[in-house]
């Protein structure tokens, strides 16, 4: 039987449903959390003042957004916590949770050979730091996220909602090859036909020819991939050329994209040089990572085919500012392409290419590319990409799920029916976008309606609540 009663208006400046308000003793009322945002940045569209947001912890969704005076009577007794600035939880669209050792150089060797248990322990730290930087969702393009997501979901560790690609797919001699060790060992570690599971094949798969390309997608599908990542050009970490040549033949790229699409997934391609970018777009890839040598021809092909860009500026600056910490070849390559890469980003934004933000962090804890500085990409989108601050926030929030194609959840916006992933700040990022760079500026974080970060809240205790 339902129990109705008259309750007096609730005090405080932020909530006044009005005298004589009626409420129902809702059995789930403890599961509703209420926030009063003095300023709301909704993710898509301009800021709005004085908004009430109600979230269900049971469903993890936003159930009401609007004026406090319009809150449905059934929720009148929900306390509204006043927060200066509320915005959606951000989307990290180019993460790696590889668990690389901080004691060895950040190179393919390190990534492929790290013991999986060691990697898992480091990843527990990395995903928590990513979450605490304000990223309630992370798309991982090669690494352990497919497995980590299950552990996050069961409540054993604290992290963002993870959308993993499984092992990134490389050709032999391509960006994912481990050039420093003999081919036989690489084959044993990364081949789709190698017996047993190896640490290396978790982060990268090395394939050649149509059949192996198809099998790589299926192996990732088996792990629970939500998208597929392929290397369509060389890169900085690997001993190959990032600029001139496409990696994989058109036929191989196409079969990877088709096999992914047949299973409801899109493909994201690492592509720096123009040949690789255009080959990826021709094959049907929907997200270009890096896009260093993209020009007007590339931008029009991207817009025509609805392809998004994740420019990832953070690694360039990390390497250029820390020459002593990287192998000389990596530093030289970065120095060679940094300017053209940054110009391409700015020109892409100007041309109207849709962008999401990703920081491509894959270092172990304590390294200059460790998780936790993911927020860097937001001010960089303004400084380097030439976005307006509101546009940079949209790229960091509402645009994020779009890089998952058909797998995109309703997330990245403060909107009814969307994931109740919210950030609370004291300062308005629209007045100074730099604030997003520092994870300490993100005072409150709700993930799927659950408070996971707040002043004085111990992260371990969150797991017990
Ligand atoms: Zn990457």
């Amino acid at each position: 039987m339902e129990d109705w009663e008259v309750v007096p208006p609730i005090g405080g400046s932020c909530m006044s449903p009005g005298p004589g308000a009626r409420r129902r003793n809702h059995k789930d009322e403890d599961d509703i959390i209420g926030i009063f945002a003095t300023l709301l940045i909704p993710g898509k569209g301009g800021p709005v003042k004085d908004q009430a947001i109600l979230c269900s912890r049971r469903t993890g969704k936003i159930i009401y957004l609007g004026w406090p005076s319009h809150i449905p009577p059934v929720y009148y007794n929900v306390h509204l916590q006043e927060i200066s600035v509320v915005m959606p939880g951000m989307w990290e669209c180019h993460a790696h949770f590889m668990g690389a050792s901080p004691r060895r150089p950040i190179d393919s060797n390190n990534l492929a050979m790290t013991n999986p248990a060691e990697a898992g322990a480091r990843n527990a730290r990395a995903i928590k730091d990513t979450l605490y930087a304000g990223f309630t969702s992370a798309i991982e393009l090669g690494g352990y996220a497919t497995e980590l997501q299950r552990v996050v979901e069961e409540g054993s560790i604290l992290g963002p909602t993870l959308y993993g690609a499984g092992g990134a797919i490389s050709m032999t001699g391509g960006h994912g090859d481990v050039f420093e060790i003999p081919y036989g060992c690489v084959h044993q570690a990364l081949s789709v036909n190698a017996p047993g599971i190896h640490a290396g094949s978790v982060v990268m798969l090395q394939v050649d020819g149509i059949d192996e390309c198809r099998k790589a997608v299926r192996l990732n599908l088996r792990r629970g991939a939500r998208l597929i990542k392929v290397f369509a050009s060389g890169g900085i970490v690997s001993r190959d050329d990032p600029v001139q040549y496409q990696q994989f033949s058109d036929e191989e790229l196409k079969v990877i994209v088709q096999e992914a699409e047949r299973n409801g997934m899109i493909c994201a391609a690492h592509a720096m040089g123009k040949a690789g970018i255009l080959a990826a777009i021709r094959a049907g890839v929907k997200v270009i990572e890096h896009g260093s040598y993209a020009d007007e021809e590339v931008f029009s092909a991207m817009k025509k085919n609805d392809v998004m860009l994740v420019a990832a500026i953070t690694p360039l600056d990390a390497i250029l500012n820390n020459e002593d910490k990287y192998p000389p070849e990596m530093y030289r390559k970065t120095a060679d392409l940094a300017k053209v890469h940054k110009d391409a980003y700015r020109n892409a934004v100007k041309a109207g290419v849709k962008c999401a933000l990703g920081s491509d962090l894959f270092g172990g804890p304590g390294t200059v590319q460790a998780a936790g500085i993911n927020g860097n990409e937001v001010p960089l989108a303004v400084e380097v990409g030439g976005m307006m601050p509101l546009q940079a926030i949209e790229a960091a929030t509402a645009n994020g799920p779009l890089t998952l194609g058909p797998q995109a959840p309703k997330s990245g916006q403060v909107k009814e029916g969307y994931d109740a992933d919210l950030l609370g700040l004291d300062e308005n990022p629209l007045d100074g976008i730099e604030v997003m760079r520092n994870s300490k500026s993100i005072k409150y974080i709700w993930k799927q309606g659950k408070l996971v970060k707040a002043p004085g809240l111990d992260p371990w205790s969150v797991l017990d609540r």
Side-chain angles (χ1 to χ4, degrees):
M1 195 175 139
E2 293 189 333
D3 180 16
W4 294 84
E5 61 176 289
V6 176
V7 294
I10 307 158
S13 60
C14 56
M15 37 192 295
S16 48
R22 296 202 307 163
R23 74 166 169 96
R24 187 179 62 173
N25 279 340
H26 198 274
K27 75 173 190 309
D28 291 333
E29 69 190 21
D30 288 345
D31 282 335
I32 308 296
I33 67 129
I35 296 164
F36 175 80
T38 311
L39 187 78
L40 170 71
I41 303 170
K44 205 171 168 65
V48 199
K49 283 187 173 161
D50 299 341
Q51 294 293 291
I53 306 153
L54 301 181
C55 309
S56 162
R57 274 199 296 213
R58 191 175 52 79
T59 64
K61 303 287 178 196
I62 296 168
I63 53 172
Y64 175 81
L65 168 67
W67 305 113
S69 55
H70 288 47
I71 289 177
V74 68
Y75 302 125
Y76 277 178
N77 63 329
V78 173
H79 171 74
L80 298 184
Q81 181 179 0
E82 190 165 355
I83 303 281
S84 302
V85 181
V86 175
M87 60 176 279
M90 294 187 282
W91 275 69
E92 165 58 76
C93 294
H94 190 147
H96 292 288
F97 301 109
M98 294 166 158
S101 167
R103 294 184 302 276
R104 294 194 292 268
I106 309 175
D107 59 14
S108 317
N109 246 335
N110 186 347
L111 302 178
M113 300 306 155
T114 301
N115 179 288
E118 229 183 83
R122 287 194 196 100
N123 284 331
R125 162 80 185 271
I127 60 170
K128 177 253 170 195
D129 288 349
T130 304
L131 175 69
Y132 270 32
F135 292 81
T136 46
S137 304
I139 298 174
E140 197 218 39
L141 301 174
Y144 288 87
T146 41
E147 290 73 28
L148 288 166
Q149 170 54 17
R150 290 194 277 274
V151 187
V152 170
E153 228 166 61
E154 76 195 17
S156 295
I157 51 173
L158 201 54
T161 306
L162 299 169
Y163 303 87
I169 303 173
S170 171
M171 65 176 203
T172 298
H175 183 47
D177 205 335
V178 188
F179 292 85
E180 289 74 20
I181 54 177
Y183 174 69
C185 302
V186 175
H187 181 81
Q188 179 77 7
L190 306 184
S191 166
V192 292
N193 297 317
I197 298 168
H198 298 270
S201 61
V202 171
V203 298
M204 282 175 293
L205 289 164
Q206 189 165 302
V207 297
D208 299 291
I210 303 292
D211 290 343
E212 289 192 0
C213 284
R214 197 184 286 114
K215 186 163 179 187
V217 174
R218 291 178 183 176
L219 285 175
N220 285 329
L221 181 69
R222 187 171 189 275
R223 283 176 64 190
R226 303 291 293 273
L227 78 165
I228 293 297
K229 163 79 176 292
V230 62
F231 295 127
S233 83
I236 288 172
V237 182
S238 48
R239 199 194 67 203
D240 56 4
D241 172 72
V243 185
Q244 292 194 59
Y245 311 112
Q246 102 181 41
Q247 295 193 348
F248 282 118
S249 66
D250 279 12
E251 291 70 29
E252 288 170 313
L253 287 172
K254 270 187 193 130
V255 80
I256 291 169
V257 171
Q258 284 164 5
E259 192 60 22
E261 282 180 350
R262 215 165 56 75
N263 290 287
M265 296 183 283
I266 56 124
C267 267
H270 161 104
M272 294 186 137
K274 188 174 169 182
I277 301 170
L278 288 175
I281 297 170
R282 272 200 305 280
V285 157
K286 289 297 178 194
V287 186
I288 296 294
E289 308 294 332
H290 310 294
S292 316
Y293 286 80
D295 60 9
E296 294 305 323
E297 184 190 352
V298 168
F299 302 144
S300 58
M302 289 179 82
K303 286 190 286 181
K304 191 168 154 237
N305 294 287
D306 218 3
V307 178
M308 291 178 70
L309 176 70
V310 177
I313 302 301
T314 301
L316 302 179
D317 288 351
I319 297 169
L320 293 180
N321 297 333
N322 296 280
E323 186 177 357
D324 56 317
K325 296 191 170 69
Y326 289 88
E329 197 190 350
M330 270 175 76
Y331 182 83
R332 183 188 54 75
K333 279 181 169 180
T334 310
D336 285 350
L337 66 68
K339 187 182 179 314
V340 71
H341 184 128
K342 290 180 178 184
D343 288 346
Y345 187 16
R346 183 170 281 263
N347 292 335
V349 172
K350 222 182 276 173
V353 171
K354 194 168 257 189
C355 297
L357 306 189
S359 58
D360 200 4
L361 296 168
F362 58 84
T367 67
V368 296
Q369 276 182 279
I373 57 163
N374 315 62
N376 257 343
E377 285 292 323
V378 189
L380 286 172
V382 175
E383 290 159 24
V384 178
M387 292 185 202
M388 299 300 289
L390 191 65
Q391 201 182 356
I393 288 178
E394 182 174 333
T397 57
N399 286 0
L402 305 180
T403 64
L404 282 176
Q407 296 281 327
K410 280 185 167 179
S411 177
Q413 296 185 52
V414 182
K415 206 171 169 183
E416 282 175 25
Y418 277 57
D419 286 345
D421 293 345
L422 304 167
L423 309 183
L425 295 86
D426 291 339
E427 296 159 88
N428 180 356
L430 300 177
D431 293 338
I433 198 72
E434 279 295 316
V435 73
M436 304 311 295
R437 204 184 281 277
N438 187 353
S439 72
K440 290 197 174 73
S441 309
I442 316 291
K443 300 277 192 243
Y444 295 89
I445 302 177
W446 290 265
K447 186 195 159 198
Q448 292 171 344
K450 186 176 175 184
L451 186 66
V452 292
K453 184 184 182 185
L457 181 65
D458 167 30
W460 286 104
S461 75
V462 173
L463 296 171
D464 298 324
R465 289 184 313 130

